[in-house]
Amino acid sequence: MPIATPEVYNEMLDRAKAGKFAYPAINVTSSQTLHAALRGFAEAESDGIIQISTGGAEFLGGQYKKDMVTGAVALAEFAHVVAEKYPVTVALHTDHCPKDKLDGYVRPLLEVSAERVRGGGNPLFQSHMWDGSAETLAHNLEIAQELLAKAAAAKIILEVEITPTGGEEDGVSHEINDSLYTTVDDAIRTAEALGLGDKGRYLLAASFGNVHGVYKPGNVVLRPELLKDLQEGVGAKYGKQTPFDFVFHGGSGSTREEILTALENGVVKMNLDTDTQYAFTRPVADHMFKNYDGVLKVDGEVGNKKVYDPRSWGKAAEAGMAARVGEACAHLRSAGARIK
């Protein structure tokens, strides 16, 4: 099946929320990691989300120019072609974009999709993320209103992060402290500014102790039950049951119990990057260590082309990452739930 249309993407999110499962959102930085993600989804019979961060897009744009828009557009166009060969449906998303990168990333990409829609087509990406967590909530929501209007006009869903996620990702960092918990008042102010679907659909990255990067279970105090408080607080005010579609950021090292609690409380998307990076790189390291005298020209020898050919270790990397994606699908209960 092809990349999701706007209508199918909405159906995907609705099905996840109703079924209390979530889609793994896999960060990719190359055609190879894209194929690994698609393979993982296909083998798990799960639909999913492919996403590109600003750093990933810059890398994809090539180190000569490092143009984020070029990199993101190029991989998205490639994905529209190769995804046809996989028996699952995926949506394309751009990950964390702070204020200083909006003009060089999300705003131009919104215009690319708007132009496609004006011509009678579908958007290139199905959703974009605005990360205003480093701004005041008032300023964050002011920018979110502008972006939501543009996204809705281009048949795109906006993701907003309203309060900080700890750790660091692509240059945006926050301390790990008590500010990492969204309050009901924060959620109500968000609903007041962005509506609850009437101004355009959006995904909400609320904070419940999440931290980007690598950590072991227990090192960070996650409170996914907080999401229920946000749903109920806003729902009571607006007379709408479970009004938010939540996103789980900083999930590396989360326990199964924490993930399941998040799913029960409205999480429909969970980001994975750190774990899949390791799953991709670990087989490469294994290959290099085991074949060091073949990948290197040691003591004047010529090496072994069969083991330094990037395809030899690249296949192992793809398989390793695909397996980790499949594991995520099982944990998030999306395995076997693809749209037929």
Side-chain angles (χ1 to χ4, degrees):
M1 291 181 71
I3 301 295
T5 63
E7 295 76 18
V8 170
Y9 190 29
N10 277 284
E11 180 187 350
M12 285 171 58
L13 297 173
D14 290 342
R15 292 178 76 245
K17 194 169 185 178
K20 296 187 183 299
F21 67 88
Y23 297 106
I26 309 299
N27 282 70
V28 299
T29 55
S30 64
S31 59
Q32 194 171 8
T33 51
L34 169 66
H35 275 294
L38 291 169
R39 174 178 169 182
F41 289 136
E43 290 176 347
E45 296 187 354
S46 169
D47 299 321
I49 298 170
I50 303 289
Q51 58 188 25
I52 307 171
S53 68
T54 55
E58 182 182 273
F59 182 75
L60 284 160
Q63 298 309 289
Y64 182 69
K65 283 289 188 181
K66 298 183 179 181
D67 185 82
M68 294 186 292
V69 173
T70 297
V73 168
L75 194 71
E77 294 282 12
F78 181 76
H80 275 265
V81 175
V82 299
E84 294 276 359
K85 303 300 180 181
Y86 293 86
V88 290
T89 303
V90 294
L92 301 179
H93 175 81
T94 60
D95 200 12
H96 291 270
C97 184
K99 181 181 176 180
D100 64 345
K101 294 181 179 178
L102 282 174
D103 287 342
Y105 196 47
V106 165
R107 287 192 176 110
L109 290 175
L110 281 170
E111 182 51 37
V112 168
S113 285
E115 186 174 343
R116 289 167 64 107
V117 170
R118 286 193 293 267
N122 287 316
L124 182 60
F125 284 86
Q126 287 65 60
S127 52
H128 292 295
M129 182 187 179
W130 150 235
D131 182 356
S133 60
E135 314 300 323
T136 65
L137 183 57
H139 188 44
N140 182 341
L141 294 174
E142 180 184 358
I143 293 174
Q145 287 176 313
E146 170 232 329
L147 295 174
L148 182 60
K150 290 181 178 179
K155 300 182 180 180
I156 288 171
I157 294 171
L158 185 70
E159 180 181 333
V160 296
E161 183 167 352
I162 55 171
T163 45
T165 294
E168 187 274 335
E169 182 167 9
D170 278 340
V172 178
S173 61
H174 298 288
E175 292 183 7
I176 301 174
N177 55 37
D178 289 342
S179 70
L180 304 183
Y181 301 94
T182 302
T183 67
V184 172
D185 181 64
D186 295 330
I188 288 174
R189 290 174 63 187
T190 299
E192 289 172 347
L194 304 182
L196 291 175
D198 49 299
K199 298 179 182 180
R201 189 168 190 171
Y202 61 93
L203 306 175
L204 182 60
S207 305
F208 50 96
N210 321 60
V211 176
H212 289 130
V214 184
Y215 61 90
K216 295 180 181 179
N219 284 18
V220 176
V221 181
L222 288 175
R223 292 172 48 203
E225 66 277 2
L226 173 69
L227 299 176
K228 182 179 180 181
D229 297 338
L230 304 183
Q231 297 277 33
E232 291 180 347
V234 173
K237 181 177 175 64
Y238 287 90
K240 185 173 183 178
Q241 190 175 13
T242 59
F244 291 123
D245 300 325
F246 285 124
V247 181
F248 191 152
H249 282 250
S252 297
S254 303
T255 66
R256 291 292 302 277
E257 292 74 20
E258 289 166 340
I259 292 173
L260 292 177
T261 299
L263 298 179
E264 291 295 324
N265 292 323
V267 165
V268 296
K269 172 179 180 280
M270 180 173 173
N271 292 8
L272 277 92
D273 190 12
T274 303
D275 287 357
T276 50
Q277 286 176 341
Y278 183 77
F280 183 84
T281 301
R282 181 63 181 82
V284 179
D286 183 66
H287 178 91
M288 298 303 174
F289 280 124
K290 288 181 177 177
N291 298 286
Y292 75 94
D293 55 349
V295 298
L296 299 175
K297 297 182 179 181
V298 179
D299 296 330
E301 295 297 324
V302 296
N304 182 348
K305 184 181 184 302
K306 290 184 178 180
V307 296
Y308 65 69
D309 182 336
R311 290 170 293 184
S312 64
W313 49 264
K315 292 175 183 178
E318 179 187 308
M321 181 172 164
R324 182 62 184 87
V325 171
E327 182 182 330
C329 294
H331 290 170
L332 296 178
R333 304 194 288 210
S334 67
R338 67 183 177 87
I339 295 174
K340 298 293 196 293

